[in-house]
Amino acid sequence: MPVVDYQRRIADLLVPTPVESLPVADCLGLALAADLTAPIPLPPFDNSAMDGYAVRSVDVAGASEQSPVLLPVPEDLPAGRVQNPPLQPGTAHRIMTGAQVPPGADAVVPVERTDGGVSEVRVRASAAPGAHIRRAGEDVRTGATVLTRGTSLTPAQLGVAAAVGTEKLPVHRPPRVLVLSTGSELVAPGEPLQPGQIYESNGLMLAAAVREAGAHARLLRFVPDDVNAFHAVLAPELDSTDLILTSGGVSAGAYEVVKDALTGNGVDFMKVAMQPGMPQGSGRYRGGPAVVSLPGNPVSAMVSFEVFVRPALRAAAGHLRTRREIRSATITEELRAPAGKRQYRRARFDPATTTVTPRGGPGSHLLSAMAGSNCLIEIPESTQLIPEGSTVDVWLTD
């Protein structure tokens, strides 16, 4: 199956998650489910941009270091003061940053341009009308769209939502992913290894990738290589899971428990025209949660996640930007690829020079090369040779 067709298949498996209303503080990284419009302007009132004195510009016209203007100071206006006494001609109100500009004032003189007086002040500089005043609605007007649907909410965006008085936001619930680790050869890190055993890493790696994509991950490690035990592990998890993500046990070997357990239960296994990551499985487990079964070699599993699962999770969670950023880069060495397969090679992209250098060979077991990479070079199915100095597309993964 071509890569693009299998991408579409996985995308169709994951439906949009429900919308829920959450406190703004709990929405970091989630996708906004509806446009947010401002019920108030920002700033909500004219306020001072400086600590200083609210004045009428005509009263300080011509003021200078040599000829200061002396004005009485009848009021102090700290930020947050609700009462806002008008400014009378020939006076100044001492004002703090963020405080309301009083009626009658049309400028603020910074305290640095005065003697800092409390009962009266010597103003040593003139001020043009509007000087150091933030106007109501200067940032956001009432009714303006502050945030658009599909926005992946950042700290600054949560800040502006709170600034216009928003208590809760409608957001898509993150997809709930059950990550299964299977294989009798697997041992927990920290335990002694016996001959023929390896430390389990795929489950931890994929669970971390799920979280980085913005979904919730629950990792079940060391599921036995037994079909009945496999089904027993899944049974209590089905109602709280949107996606079951497995790695390993999908090839043509004699002990492929994932394939044996899921075949006939709504999951199909096939070959995808890519390297690494050719053997794949997907479907719905007994008509319930979506299932994606990735290859067991760690690089194959991680590349398959990037190509198929991550964009589908992002789309299901309501994010408009679902794919990694793609950049053009000049490759620093020759690469060869198999005919008829789309290849993804680990590499290091240098943004300063827009060059990319492959890391490690095409082997799907070379995890350290993946760990030292920050991108994937995508090589089309029709390309078998990329000469040094050619321009290639790279997916920025870091």
Side-chain angles (χ1 to χ4, degrees):
M1 181 180 288
V3 168
V4 292
D5 291 348
Y6 197 67
Q7 285 174 323
R8 191 175 303 115
R9 176 185 173 92
I10 301 303
D12 290 344
L13 278 176
L14 288 169
V15 299
T17 57
V19 175
E20 51 191 16
S21 182
L22 294 181
V24 171
D26 296 334
C27 293
L28 180 64
L30 302 183
L32 190 64
D35 290 354
L36 175 65
T37 57
I40 61 170
L42 285 184
F45 48 82
D46 292 354
N47 70 87
S48 177
M50 302 285 288
D51 292 336
Y53 296 84
V55 299
R56 298 194 320 152
S57 57
V58 296
D59 289 340
V60 295
S64 67
E65 292 286 344
Q66 294 74 29
S67 300
V69 172
L70 182 64
L71 298 173
V73 181
E75 296 285 349
D76 262 358
L77 302 178
R81 179 172 174 176
V82 176
Q83 298 80 18
N84 195 22
L87 179 73
Q88 300 301 321
T91 67
H93 287 178
R94 192 166 67 153
I95 193 168
M96 304 301 129
T97 302
Q100 293 187 74
V101 174
D106 66 350
V108 171
V109 177
V111 67
E112 294 84 358
R113 307 309 300 272
T114 73
D115 67 353
V118 176
S119 59
E120 60 181 16
V121 62
R122 283 179 171 80
V123 179
R124 301 192 179 105
S126 61
H132 304 298
I133 293 177
R134 302 164 177 158
R135 295 299 183 187
E138 184 179 303
D139 185 16
V140 176
R141 296 189 178 276
T142 301
T145 300
V146 179
L147 299 172
T148 56
R149 181 184 64 82
T151 297
S152 301
L153 293 163
T154 64
Q157 291 160 345
L158 298 183
V160 76
V164 297
T166 307
E167 181 185 7
K168 293 185 175 182
L169 286 170
V171 291
H172 286 272
R173 172 178 60 72
R176 302 166 303 190
V177 182
L178 179 66
V179 180
L180 293 186
S181 165
T182 64
S184 298
E185 77 279 14
L186 302 179
V187 176
E191 297 294 325
L193 284 179
Q194 300 298 321
Q197 294 181 328
I198 60 173
Y199 287 122
E200 197 284 320
S201 60
N202 278 10
L204 185 147
M205 177 178 68
L206 291 172
V210 165
R211 296 186 189 101
E212 191 271 339
H216 290 316
R218 172 167 158 70
L219 174 59
L220 287 182
R221 305 175 85 177
F222 313 114
V223 178
D225 275 345
D226 176 85
V227 169
N228 291 330
F230 187 92
H231 291 301
V233 166
L234 287 185
E237 307 288 341
L238 301 182
D239 290 341
S240 59
T241 300
D242 299 306
L243 170 65
I244 299 168
L245 186 63
T246 72
S247 64
V250 299
S251 298
Y255 297 98
E256 307 291 6
V257 65
V258 173
K259 191 173 185 179
D260 293 343
L262 296 180
T263 298
N265 284 288
V267 180
D268 298 319
F269 293 86
M270 63 205 70
K271 295 180 179 180
V272 178
M274 66 183 289
Q275 186 188 58
M278 182 177 67
Q280 301 281 341
S282 56
R284 289 198 170 278
Y285 180 71
R286 296 178 176 176
V291 174
V292 176
S293 293
L294 305 178
N297 280 319
V299 175
S300 296
M302 197 63 209
V303 169
S304 298
F305 181 90
E306 285 288 338
V307 176
F308 303 120
V309 183
R310 188 181 190 278
L313 285 175
R314 300 279 295 171
H319 298 279
L320 292 183
R321 182 180 174 184
T322 61
R323 298 191 177 276
R324 296 289 195 181
E325 181 183 355
I326 297 178
R327 297 282 297 274
S328 293
T330 302
I331 195 165
T332 61
E333 61 185 64
E334 179 183 282
L335 278 185
R336 293 183 179 272
K341 291 184 179 180
R342 186 173 299 190
Q343 191 178 67
Y344 296 89
R345 291 289 294 272
R346 288 82 72 198
R348 194 79 192 172
F349 173 71
D350 183 350
T353 60
T354 63
T355 58
V356 62
T357 302
R359 298 292 294 264
S364 57
H365 63 295
L366 301 175
L367 184 58
S368 64
M370 187 103 190
S373 301
N374 64 0
C375 70
L376 293 173
I377 302 173
E378 184 177 42
I379 305 174
E381 294 87 339
S382 58
T383 302
Q384 284 80 60
L385 175 64
I386 300 178
E388 178 184 344
S390 300
T391 299
V392 294
D393 286 339
V394 299
W395 295 21
L396 302 185
T397 55
D398 182 2

